[in-house]
Structure formats: C-alpha cells, structure tokens
Amino acid sequence: MDISSHDVLIIGGGGAGLRAAIAVAEVNPRLNVAVISKVYPMRSHTVSAEGGAAAVIKTGDTLDDHAYDTISGGDWLCDQDAVEAFVQEAPEELLRLEHWGCPWSRDPDGHIAVRAFGGMKKERTWFAADKTGFHMLHTLFQTTLKYTAIARYDEWFVTKLLVDDNRVQGVVAIEIMSGKIQAITAKAVILCTGGCGRVFPFTTNANIKNGDGMALAYRAGAPLKDMEFVQYHPTGLPFTGILITEAARAEGGYMLNKDGYRYLQDYNLGTPQPKPVLRSMELGPRDRLCQAFVKEMEKGRTIKGPYGDVVHLDVRHLGEKLINTKLPFVRELCLKYQNIDPVKELIPVRPVVHYMMGGVSTNIHGATPLAGLYAAGEVACVSINGANRLGSNSLPELLVFGARAGRAAAEFASTQKESNGIILSQALDETKRVEAQFLEKTGGRERIATLREEMQKAMENGAGIYRTHSSLAEAAAKLRELQERFPSITLDDRSRTFNTELTAAVELGFMLDVGEAIVQSALHRTESRGAHQRTDYPKRDDEKFLAHTLIYRNADGSTHGDYLPVTITRWPPGERVYGQPAQAAQAKGG
Amino acid sequence: MAETIKLEVTRYAPERHQAPTSQSFEVPYRKDWVVLDALNYIKDNLDGSLSYRWSCRMGICGSCGMMVNGEPKLTCATFLSKYAPGPVRVEPLRYFPVVRDLIIEMTDFMAKLRSVKPWIIREEEKPLSEGEYLQTPEQLDTYKQFSMCINCMLCYAACPVYGLDPLFSGPAAIALAQRYNLDSRDQGAEERMGILSQHAGIWGCTFVGECTRVCPKHVDPAGAIQQYKLTAAKEWFKSLLMPWGAK
Ligand SMILES: Cc1cc2nc3c(=O)[nH]c(=O)nc-3n(C[C@H](O)[C@H](O)[C@H](O)COP(=O)(O)OP(=O)(O)OC[C@H]3O[C@@H](n4cnc5c(N)ncnc54)[C@H](O)[C@@H]3O)c2cc1C
Ligand code: SF4
Ligand code: FES
C-alpha cells in the first residue's frame, strides 16, 4: 500500500481549512503541512456565502456589543469565553484578509464598509458586494499558492481516521481520479469539512455537505456536541434550496399564504403595514418565521407544489426598477436557476435547512478530546453559535478558529514522534472494507438514492422545525432501519476511475450516522431553546439544560450521551425577546 | 403521460472503452429543470455510473462546466427548456483531456493559475495594527470585474488558441494576473509581466473574443488579454529605445 506522511494534515479546503493551513505554515515553516479535499479547494461551499462577515471595526461599536448579540442570539447556549476570544480576534482576521487582497466593499473614503445584519444591533458586517464567501475563499486559496510548504491532495476523499494509542495518527483516503486507496499519516489532523445540510431534503447546502468530518470523528470515538441545533432559513426556493436573502423582505416583500393573505399577522409578529417595519411581520426572526410556516401548513393554508408545500414571497409591488437596483441577485437567482421572474411572478418559498450549530466538540483552541485531532469551521462546535447562529458570524468563525486550530495543531505536531506501524494494518483493513462493501460486492439491491431520500424525509418529518418525542422516536426507528439496509446497497459503477457513486455511498453512510446523532440529541433535550423547538416541552429549562449535549458512539453502533455545563463569564442568562417588548426592554435597560 | 426529453451523454471509462461514445437517456422534461438536474435524474434513477462534477447548483463553485449542444455552459445555469424538444447533447469541456464520462483533467489549468502569482506582492507589508490599506470604490472598480472569475474553464473550452497550443496561459489565468496588477495594494505587475510574455501564446490571441462571450460571470478575459498585450508592447518598445549597453 502507498503511504505518505505529514506533520499536520488538514481535511477540507474551505475557509476554515485554508486559514488553518496558512497558520501552520506561519507558526513553523519547517513543518510539513498538507490540505486534502474532496473537491478543488475553491469549489468548497464557503464560496456560496453571500451576506457578509461580522467584526467590530467602526467607532461606536464595541466588542461587548458583538459578544452580547451573539450570546443572546444563541439563547445563552454559547460558551462565553469562546465568544470573547471570537469577537476579539475577528477584526484582525478580517483585516489580514484585506492585506491578502480580499476585495472588501469600501466607503467613499477608502475605508472598509459595513452593513446591518439580522440580530446584530450595530452595523458591523463586512461584505464584498453580495459574494462575500466567494471572495474570501478565492483570496485565501490564491494566498495559499504562495506558500510552497503547503502540499495539496485535490479530489481526495477521506473515509476513515486512523487511531492508535488513543491518538489520531492519520487517515485513509481515496484518490478519486485513480481510485487508489491509501494511508496518509500525520502527527496532527485538523477536520475542516464543513456542515451537513444534505441530511435534510431541502437545504441551501451544496452536494458536498454531508457531515463527513462529524461522522469521521464520531466513529473514531470523539464526541459530537449540540447536534440537535439545526438552523432553518425561512425563504429558500423549493427543490433547489437556493437561498433568497433577507434583503427581499427588508425591501418590503410580503409573505403570502394560498389565499394571498399576509399570514404572519396571526402569529404574534405584529400587524401588517404597507412598508416594512423592523422586527415585525416579515422582518421577525428566522426561527419564528419558519415556525409560522409549519402552523400554516397544519391549517392547510399553504400551497401544494411539485416539491411539497410552499408559501409565496411577493415582491411584485416593489416594481422592476427597485428590484433591479436593490435586489439584482434575487432576480438573477430566480431567473437563472428556477426559471421564474419575480418582477411578474410570485416566488415559491419554504423553510430550508441552512446551517449546523452543532459539531465535533472542541475547546477554544480547536482541540477535540481525542489527542491529535482538531476541528474548525462549521464541522466544529466550539461553541460560539449556541442554540442559534447569527447571520455573518460563521465566516469570521472560520478564520478565527481555523487559525487557532492551525496554531494548536502545529504546536502539538512539533512534540510528536512519527506514527507507529500498527495503523498501517488498520489502513489495510479499511481498504479491504471499501473494496468488499462497495467495489467488489455481489448481491444486494438497495439504491443509494432511495435510502438517501428516505433518510431525508425521516429527518424532516421527525427532527424538523418542530419536534416531539413521538416524531423523534419515529425518525430514530427509521434511521435504524436504514442503517440495517445500508449494507445491501449495490453500485452500478465498479470502475476505479472517478467513481462518484462510490463516494456518494460512503457519504450516505456518514449522513446516516450524523442523522442519528441529531435525532438522539434532540430526543434527550426535553426543552425548547433557539432552533430546537419541542412542542411537548415548549419552555426553555435553564435548571436542567443550560448545558451542551455530548453524544458518543459506542463500538457496537449504539450511542451514549452526556452534558457539559455552559461557560458563563459576564452575561447571565436572560430572555430572548423580539418585536415591541425588545425595544421597550432596551429603552429601559439602556 | 408526463413529457420527456432525450439527453445524449458522452460515456467513457478508460478500463472499458477505447474512445468516448455517446449514450441516450430519456428524462422527465420540466420547466424548472436545468441540464444538471437531468444528469442527477439519470444518476439517481437510471444509471449510477454516470460521472460528472457538481456541487453548489447556484453558479458559483465553478464545477459543472460541460459542452451543451456544442457550447461551453454551466450546466446548473442552463435550462432544459432552452433546448426543447431536444435532444440535448452533453459532452465534456472541449480541449481538455477526458478522464471519465463528463470529467476532464484540470491539473494543467490549476498550474496555470498558480504560475501568474495570484497573490498580493509588495516590497513592504504594513503591520495589521496600522489597519487596512485604503482603497476607494473607484480603485476597487478598476479590477473588480477580473476578480469575479469562478474558474469554470468555459473560456478555455471556447479558446481557439488554447485548442492549438496547450502551453498558452489562457484567458482566466491572464485575467487573474490582471486582477492583481490593477489592485492598488499590489506591486507585482512587473514580475507577472515577465512570466506571461515568456510564452508566445499571448501573441497568438487574435481577439476573437469567444472567451468573453461564453464567460458566465462577465469577467471579460479578452479585455484582460488586450490590456496585457498593450502593456507588453509598450515595454518592448521602451526597451528598443534604451541606449545600447545599458541594463
Ligand atoms: C447559501 C449560504 C449562504 C451563507 N451565507 C453566509 C453569510 O453571509 N455569512 C456567514 O457568516 N455565513 C454564511 N453561511 C455559512 C458559511 O458559509 C459556512 O458555514 C462556511 O462557509 C463553512 O466553511 P467551512 O470551511 O467550515 O466548510 P466548507 O467551505 O464547506 O468546506 C468543506 C471542505 O471539506 C472538504 N471535505 C468534506 N468532506 C471531505 C472528505 N470526506 N474528504 C476530503 N475532503 C472533504 C470539502 O472538499 C471542502 O473543501 C452561508 C451558508 C450558505 C450555505
Ligand atoms: S474567465 Fe469566465 S469563463 Fe473563464 S474561467 Fe473565469 S468565470 Fe469561467
Ligand atoms: S454546480 Fe456549482 S457552478 Fe454549477
């Protein structure tokens, strides 16, 4: 078997992975660092982020304000020491990107421009037009090209972490182009594999977001944290899941049910006005809008479409001129990817899965409880996002914690010896498994697409916007059944050359594990907080659940859980309020 | 009966085929389906062995470029309805070596991107504590267009010069060089000029402008090449006027 070795191996070439790679190269240029990614790095899903990246830079804004917005937005489930480190380091990280050439949008005098964003009380969101993630990722990627110390494995797919002596010592990976399966050993491994939106049927997440890193860590014995917290966005296009930005509502778009009625008025979100009012009706918080959608559906007042129920987003009354100047990207997306013209037509929308708050449990240096294993970005849970992430906090998180994990892993790797030979026999076993289970398998008749669809449906029905004990228990049973059917899947494709059916099969296996972790964590959290809403336990319960869920996978595939207290430094838990009461409370408290 | 449309898709697996062939598939025809949706339908329901690259399905990751009825296209941004009643011919991007089905080899493209040194080059870096480099919206505008490239390679599949001479740096790489050259924060233009004018390719470009026409992101690589040639010509002319013996 071929084998290669590095000091630090980074899995994932998105924002978090590339930032980590540069951090390693800068801490210790003698270290041999490599980035492995199942797609070319600039294809990573960071590329799709539109809105922006939050960091305090303007006078009148303070780090404490950013921290408070983050913590209250996260319904007090954020670790406050992590949030403090995050808000402190975010500005210098975004500045560093500026020095590397990121084309941030500017004020007329040449300084960085910032914009307002949902849940942020001050304007602090840096942006590069409406393609922020695209520009950040390309800037990072192009900058890594300068560092000859950074090796790359482009289009290599990791199937397993190699663990021996309670320490992660490398990975097994498939070179997709040739089908070669080999071991890559390393003294430290950083997971930067992104989120897992594809576990659900409707998502803004790309085809590559399958929770690979979460499953890799989980199978290796590391705990996943707060997996029950999955963020929905209220306005995604059905079928494609393409995101229609909040700006469409901020400009005055209406949400209509099948009778053309602005239904949000029935859900304690204010009274309809012709013009948009902050924090009211269409501009209420994301989670409340998603919840209202479900209630409307239950009342039979949504519209049946070819891809399930939808409501309508109506921007027609804004007129072609305003739409073209203020919402050009919305029109472009609708026209180019859904064949609908919002100037003349209603936009069908529905809540779509957008972001994973939970992930591989790490400390504030990006270290997991498993020696030699680090994680950063959407795959990780530090946690700064708590029960609900604020828009525009994720991109700076990639940089701050990517850099932190890179530095910590570099330090750890500098003190370790080469990995031992034992893991090579493990690697050989894994190669045999992949070959026997997929490439050379005879018999079996399950199709990947069938299992995947059933899984996605079970997740949406059982662990969607609203959950109950029975919906979750049903999803858990269904996932068990799918786990049992998984070994009978059969591949049409037995070629070694660029076999994307093989990678899809391994991804499906990852998603089933991640789905189970989400459902089990949600089943055990008998309260409602942020994105986790239990109709059978509608209240937040700080007595019992001001704590992070940790879920572990046992060797036999069963799970066990544990709770970890939330770190509170300066902001004791309070109410998370919106609309009129929020303004009143603010006026009172100053 | 629901409407359908026929796709004629290139198939090639080096273990089994001497040369690429074409295979027909009948897929549902829907107004909101793009070519990529039809490929996904095939893979999920008809033949799991069909191989192609894709990820974002929103025209930003740059993975899904293919030839559709002979034109380089992002398949996630190309509706089936454009080709109704069909058939729709889907082939791998032209001028690149084919690896498998609709997948081309792109390591050469990646090397070309790197060769133009696409990063900020400065004699002296200012410390972070001194804040950002100021850049007015007008300064940003001078290079903005060239920074929009998603590396989809459609322009290479449209470039007759690249078709004849694979050593040519090509439209996207030259646009990328120009993206940094025109950035007010950068001082590396001269270094990059040396690299690009080494190879004759750039002089072979006759400005047919096919690259700009097919670019889905309005990058205008042809414009970048033109600017480049102009600067290079000026440099060359200046060198003619230099007194002999001087450096
Ligand atoms: C449509 C959209 C808009 C968004 N807008 C914003 C915004 O405006 N502001 C904001 O802050 N956040 C936004 N987000 C969230 C944010 O973009 C993501 O959370 C973030 O980009 C994730 O980055 P990452 O580096 O963790 O992972 P990714 O960029 O997803 O990269 C993951 C990497 O891991 C690799 N990988 C995965 N599995 C494997 C494997 N098995 N083997 C090898 N490699 C593997 C992939 O190839 C890829 O390189 C948005 C998200 C979406 C979907
Ligand atoms: S210049 Fe345009 S066509 Fe060429 S790679 Fe870039 S985005 Fe694609
Ligand atoms: S799939 Fe990303 S550009 Fe088409």
Side-chain angles (χ1 to χ4, degrees):
Chain A
M1 167 187 270
D2 285 347
I3 165 164
S4 46
S5 302
H6 299 277
D7 293 312
V8 180
L9 179 66
I10 296 161
I11 313 179
L18 295 178
R19 181 65 189 91
I22 297 175
V24 175
E26 294 205 318
V27 167
N28 183 352
R30 282 193 318 273
L31 287 179
N32 174 341
V33 50
V35 176
I36 177 166
S37 173
K38 64 181 178 179
V39 294
Y40 278 91
M42 71 283 182
R43 314 284 191 223
S44 305
H45 202 51
T46 296
V47 82
S48 72
E50 295 161 20
V56 173
I57 176 173
K58 297 290 180 192
T59 45
D61 195 5
T62 68
L63 297 180
D64 277 7
D65 282 334
H66 190 186
Y68 182 79
D69 286 349
T70 303
I71 292 163
S72 58
D75 220 352
W76 276 272
L77 198 68
C78 315
D79 280 328
Q80 299 184 0
D81 54 343
V83 173
E84 290 192 60
F86 165 68
V87 299
Q88 169 94 39
E89 289 167 27
E92 67 191 68
E93 281 297 333
L94 294 189
L95 258 186
R96 187 169 281 122
L97 223 59
E98 193 280 325
H99 285 217
W100 286 339
C102 187
W104 295 115
S105 292
R106 305 286 178 150
D107 286 334
D109 66 0
H111 284 99
I112 297 293
V114 291
R115 62 159 57 135
F117 225 77
M120 302 279 182
K121 279 200 295 283
K122 302 268 172 63
E123 293 187 351
R124 66 168 73 95
T125 296
W126 303 36
F127 58 103
D130 53 12
K131 302 241 159 79
T132 308
F134 163 81
H135 284 300
M136 285 178 60
L137 184 65
H138 280 251
T139 302
L140 277 167
F141 178 60
Q142 288 156 12
T143 303
T144 59
L145 297 176
K146 177 169 79 172
Y147 294 87
T148 44
I150 303 176
R152 287 207 328 265
Y153 294 81
D154 294 337
E155 298 192 322
W156 283 62
F157 184 100
V158 175
T159 66
K160 187 184 167 66
L161 296 179
L162 294 170
V163 190
D164 188 61
D165 206 10
N166 291 318
R167 179 162 75 86
V168 171
Q169 305 193 18
V171 305
V172 175
I174 308 170
E175 183 183 37
I176 302 174
M177 185 77 87
S178 68
K180 178 173 75 178
I181 306 174
Q182 74 160 66
I184 306 174
T185 63
K187 295 173 186 163
V189 171
I190 312 178
L191 290 168
C192 298
T193 52
C196 59
R198 288 272 157 178
V199 173
F200 290 84
F202 295 103
T203 174
T204 59
N205 286 194
N207 184 42
I208 57 172
K209 301 197 71 167
N210 317 96
D212 303 18
M214 296 168 190
L216 288 168
Y218 191 45
R219 291 175 182 182
L224 302 181
K225 192 198 285 168
D226 293 340
M227 292 296 284
E228 59 274 42
F229 296 99
V230 179
Q231 183 171 68
Y232 275 78
H233 192 287
T235 55
L237 297 177
F239 173 52
T240 63
I242 290 174
L243 183 81
I244 299 298
T245 154
E246 228 148 87
R249 282 170 283 131
E251 291 300 333
Y254 299 151
M255 303 285 293
L256 306 176
N257 68 11
K258 78 174 195 316
D259 307 316
Y261 172 70
R262 290 174 72 187
Y263 62 93
L264 294 174
Q265 59 189 290
D266 297 354
Y267 300 95
N268 264 336
L269 281 158
T271 45
Q273 307 292 330
K275 293 263 181 251
V277 179
L278 269 179
R279 291 163 177 260
S280 138
M281 288 295 290
E282 281 82 1
L283 292 183
R286 285 180 187 179
D287 49 351
R288 295 279 300 280
L289 261 59
C290 295
Q291 290 154 18
F293 171 88
V294 178
K295 296 263 164 77
E296 278 297 285
M297 188 162 74
E298 284 166 5
K299 290 181 194 157
R301 302 203 301 194
T302 45
I303 300 111
K304 302 259 172 263
Y307 310 104
D309 285 76
V310 296
V311 287
H312 285 139
L313 175 63
D314 187 1
V315 295
R316 293 172 306 176
H317 55 285
L318 303 179
E320 180 161 10
K321 201 165 133 222
L322 186 139
I323 292 172
N324 282 346
T325 51
K326 293 285 185 57
L327 303 168
F329 199 49
V330 169
R331 189 170 188 201
E332 183 190 325
L333 286 172
C334 289
L335 277 172
K336 268 206 185 146
Y337 305 96
Q338 195 109 12
N339 227 354
I340 281 175
D341 186 355
V343 169
K344 291 178 285 201
E345 292 168 276
L346 295 166
I347 312 172
V349 291
R350 52 161 295 145
V352 286
V353 166
H354 187 46
Y355 183 84
M356 184 56 172
M357 269 73 74
V360 182
S361 178
T362 75
N363 66 15
I364 60 176
H365 304 293
T368 74
L370 191 57
L373 184 65
Y374 299 77
E378 196 171 336
V379 67
C381 182
V382 181
S383 145
I384 65 152
N385 299 308
N388 174 52
R389 172 193 72 118
L390 283 197
S392 80
N393 262 354
S394 169
L395 291 172
E397 177 184 3
L398 306 180
L399 302 175
V400 169
F401 291 98
R404 279 178 162 249
R407 291 191 293 264
E411 214 167 280
F412 179 83
S414 312
T415 65
Q416 297 298 309
K417 289 201 286 290
E418 289 295 327
S419 68
N420 60 35
I422 299 169
I423 57 160
L424 290 184
S425 70
Q426 269 186 41
L428 216 56
D429 288 347
E430 171 66 0
T431 310
K432 296 234 176 72
R433 176 189 77 94
V434 172
E435 287 170 346
Q437 196 172 356
F438 304 114
L439 288 173
E440 285 151 19
K441 156 100 156 288
T442 50
R445 57 195 162 75
E446 297 281 4
R447 281 194 78 77
I448 295 173
T450 316
L451 261 60
R452 192 169 52 211
E453 265 164 43
E454 289 183 30
M455 167 194 71
Q456 290 171 336
K457 204 150 130 217
M459 290 303 292
E460 174 156 277
N461 292 342
I465 294 168
Y466 281 113
R467 299 139 175 206
T468 64
H469 178 87
S470 66
S471 81
L472 287 162
E474 207 174 298
K478 181 70 190 179
L479 290 175
R480 260 296 102 195
E481 175 208 315
L482 293 172
Q483 289 278 23
E484 274 155 30
R485 284 161 62 193
F486 181 73
S488 330
I489 57 171
T490 184
L491 267 52
D492 295 342
D493 195 350
R494 303 302 172 101
S495 165
R496 294 263 171 174
T497 312
F498 225 107
N499 187 333
T500 52
E501 201 186 19
L502 171 63
T503 51
V506 181
E507 284 168 347
L508 175 61
F510 289 153
M511 288 194 287
L512 288 172
D513 282 5
V514 170
E516 286 200 310
I518 293 172
V519 169
Q520 292 297 336
S521 304
L523 202 51
H524 286 89
R525 184 177 286 271
T526 46
E527 66 153 356
S528 290
R529 180 188 300 269
H532 174 68
Q533 292 293 319
R534 290 278 302 252
T535 35
D536 45 355
Y537 297 93
K539 290 237 155 50
R540 194 173 91 188
D541 180 356
D542 286 342
E543 286 281 301
K544 266 172 82 184
F545 287 111
L546 195 60
H548 302 293
T549 305
L550 290 182
I551 184 165
Y552 296 82
R553 188 170 183 274
N554 304 324
D556 64 358
S558 63
T559 58
H560 72 276
D562 204 354
Y563 290 96
L564 191 70
V566 169
T567 307
I568 306 278
T569 57
R570 293 193 279 137
W571 295 276
E575 271 313 303
R576 186 175 160 239
V577 275
Y578 289 95
Q580 305 309 331
Q583 275 144 15
Q586 227 180 345
K588 217 168 43 186
Chain B
M1 227 208 83
E3 263 186 287
T4 61
I5 189 166
K6 191 154 93 180
L7 253 66
E8 289 169 358
V9 184
T10 302
R11 300 306 306 266
Y12 174 66
E15 300 98 326
R16 279 176 294 151
H17 306 129
Q18 294 267 305
T21 56
S22 167
Q23 185 177 358
S24 293
F25 296 96
E26 203 70 33
V27 304
Y29 174 75
R30 295 202 178 139
K31 173 187 175 239
D32 56 359
W33 270 21
V34 293
V35 173
L36 178 62
D37 296 324
L39 295 175
N40 283 338
Y41 179 87
I42 296 171
K43 188 165 185 79
D44 285 350
N45 300 289
L46 306 176
D47 185 347
S49 72
L50 181 65
S51 293
Y52 47 95
R53 292 187 176 102
W54 73 289
S55 179
C56 71
R57 205 213 175 270
M58 55 185 283
I60 192 75
C61 76
S63 311
C64 69
M66 295 167 213
M67 305 301 289
V68 182
N69 280 6
E71 283 257 329
K73 290 281 183 196
L74 288 184
T75 49
C76 73
T78 305
F79 287 104
L80 284 176
S81 56
K82 190 165 175 235
Y83 305 96
V88 190
R89 197 153 36 88
V90 189
E91 298 161 305
L93 279 182
R94 186 167 51 196
Y95 303 142
F96 291 91
V98 179
V99 177
R100 169 86 198 268
D101 295 344
L102 299 163
I103 291 168
I104 50 96
E105 159 74 70
M106 56 181 281
T107 41
D108 173 60
F109 172 77
M110 295 301 288
K112 284 184 165 140
L113 287 187
R114 185 172 188 282
S115 74
V116 303
K117 302 196 174 183
W119 51 81
I120 295 278
I121 298 174
R122 290 183 63 85
E123 258 152 44
E124 234 175 286
E125 297 253 0
K126 138 171 152 175
L128 284 180
S129 57
E130 286 174 28
E132 71 263 55
Y133 294 100
L134 294 185
Q135 183 167 69
T136 63
E138 295 73 36
Q139 286 173 318
L140 175 64
D141 274 345
T142 57
Y143 71 89
K144 182 110 220 279
Q145 185 173 30
F146 299 138
S147 75
M148 302 302 280
C149 171
I150 61 171
N151 300 341
C152 67
M153 302 174 290
L154 299 192
C155 52
Y156 286 72
C159 173
V161 182
Y162 184 65
L164 293 172
D165 176 6
L167 289 179
F168 176 38
S169 304
I174 295 172
L176 183 60
Q178 201 61 352
R179 174 251 172 274
Y180 281 95
N181 290 341
L182 296 176
D183 190 322
S184 57
R185 296 166 290 189
D186 180 83
Q187 303 167 336
E190 220 167 299
E191 219 173 309
R192 289 188 202 99
M193 178 59 73
I195 300 161
L196 281 181
S197 39
Q198 264 166 23
H199 184 259
I202 192 163
W203 306 106
C205 169
T206 49
F207 300 131
V208 272
E210 278 301 298
C211 50
T212 291
R213 197 179 60 77
V214 300
C215 175
K217 296 288 145 185
H218 312 293
V219 174
D220 189 16
I225 298 175
Q226 186 140 16
Q227 288 179 4
Y228 230 93
K229 271 178 134 174
L230 226 74
T231 327
K234 269 196 226 136
E235 291 293 317
W236 176 78
F237 192 66
K238 257 199 276 172
S239 75
L240 286 187
L241 299 180
M242 288 280 247
W244 287 0
K247 257 187 72 134

